[in-house]
Amino acid sequence: APAAAPLGRPAEREEHALREALLALFDAAVELTRAQLLLLHVDDVQWGSASSLAAVGALRALRVPAVLIISSRPVTPASPCHAWLQQLRGAPHTCTQRLASLTPEATAEIVRHTTHRRDCADLAAAVYHHTAGSPFYVHQLLCSLYDDDVIYFDPTHGHWAWHSERLRDMPLAENVVDFLVARACRLSGDARYLLRCVSVLAEPIRRKDVAMVLGDRADTLDVDAELRTLCELGFVRAVPHGRPPGGDAYAFAHDRVAQAAQALCTAEEARK
């Protein structure tokens, strides 16, 4: 057989790497199902490219004892994956489940679990009022209330407490992205600058790519310390990367965080 042509353009290399990864995933899926039922979860397919969606379709076509869960945000007819999702919904052995926001009762249960207090009706009501039951927003708001000392630990009584009057005066953000932008604006100058810079990078965000984007600023910025700060505050998270997996790569904690970070960029930074 003739030798394979060398891969030149970045898109070709990326496509080749995707095919190799999928072949490995298919082999692993077949091998795992020899002994047990397999559950696979593919999240955020609304961001998927045509090749990625085709790969998920091929994975679904595998005749192995497996359950495949595919998650997507609502998409418009103009979205590349809209037709793909419509076709998937009409396929045999497919069940569609629309996930709703948390109920006030479920939100209150999260607040009770977080504060270890049953008498938290005012705090739970304020959290639900501001978040409309978005699980990610609930988590971010509780973290922000702690950062702002609205929620605090009362050593005298040995439990968590909050300032009810400050809860009533909290400004109401239009959406979670606006809220995250406001929270990011309260970061230190270096952490905020780093968050804006990494927003232009594809995930996984590798340490060497961060240094490249920072340029000369990398010499004066404690990148590792600021990345740890962003992790601790829930903006990014460390992810395994490479073989063997290492801790030198990061991803945004949520796609809404990435949107907020990009909103911090100036027009000039976005062009770069």
Side-chain angles (χ1 to χ4, degrees):
L7 297 172
R9 294 191 297 271
E12 292 176 339
R13 293 197 296 270
E14 183 178 347
E15 191 73 21
H16 176 73
L18 177 61
R19 285 198 299 269
E20 291 294 310
L22 287 171
L23 286 173
L25 178 60
F26 292 164
D27 290 343
V30 172
E31 187 62 32
L32 286 170
T33 55
R34 296 184 191 278
Q36 58 191 344
L37 177 67
L38 181 65
L39 174 64
L40 294 173
H41 181 204
V42 182
D43 197 12
D44 283 335
V45 296
Q46 75 276 2
W47 303 120
S49 62
S51 56
S52 299
L53 296 177
V56 175
L59 187 62
R60 181 180 173 276
L62 284 178
R63 295 185 176 276
V64 294
V67 175
L68 179 60
I69 299 176
I70 298 173
S71 303
S72 172
R73 293 185 182 277
V75 296
T76 66
S79 171
C81 74
H82 181 267
W84 185 86
L85 287 170
Q86 290 295 100
Q87 183 180 14
L88 182 64
R89 291 188 182 100
H93 311 297
T94 300
C95 175
T96 301
Q97 178 69 52
R98 186 178 297 276
L99 300 181
S101 299
L102 297 172
T103 64
E105 294 75 20
T107 303
E109 183 58 33
I110 291 175
V111 173
R112 284 193 291 268
H113 178 78
T114 302
T115 61
H116 302 283
R117 288 186 57 175
R118 308 299 297 180
D119 55 336
C120 60
D122 57 337
L123 176 59
V127 169
Y128 183 80
H129 174 68
H130 281 263
T131 65
S134 165
F136 175 71
Y137 199 171
V138 167
H139 172 74
Q140 286 291 320
L141 181 58
L142 288 171
C143 289
S144 179
L145 291 175
Y146 172 75
D147 292 341
D148 294 340
D149 293 323
V150 177
I151 297 177
Y152 62 96
F153 188 77
D154 182 352
T156 303
H157 297 92
H159 63 206
W160 291 97
W162 46 90
H163 299 288
S164 297
E165 68 284 355
R166 292 181 62 185
L167 286 176
R168 292 190 293 270
D169 296 336
M170 281 194 307
L172 186 63
E174 289 292 329
N175 53 59
V176 68
V177 174
D178 290 344
F179 171 80
L180 289 169
V181 168
R183 190 170 180 229
C185 286
R186 296 199 297 270
L187 292 169
S188 69
D190 285 346
R192 187 169 63 253
Y193 180 78
L194 183 60
L195 184 64
R196 288 155 55 193
C197 287
V198 300
S199 71
V200 303
L201 296 173
E203 296 179 343
I205 301 166
R206 296 174 298 177
R207 178 66 173 76
K208 64 178 183 179
D209 294 334
V210 174
M212 179 186 68
V213 171
L214 288 173
D216 295 339
R217 185 73 183 272
D219 297 330
T220 59
L221 190 68
D222 191 341
V223 178
D224 292 324
E226 298 304 339
L227 282 171
R228 285 195 299 271
T229 297
L230 293 177
C231 282
E232 291 168 359
L233 295 177
F235 287 98
V236 301
R237 56 188 175 86
V239 295
H241 181 65
R243 296 188 179 186
D248 62 340
Y250 297 84
F252 284 104
H254 195 276
D255 59 353
R256 295 300 193 221
V257 178
Q259 285 182 258
Q262 290 161 6
L264 290 172
C265 292
T266 63
E268 180 181 355
E269 288 168 334
R271 284 195 298 270
K272 290 180 181 179

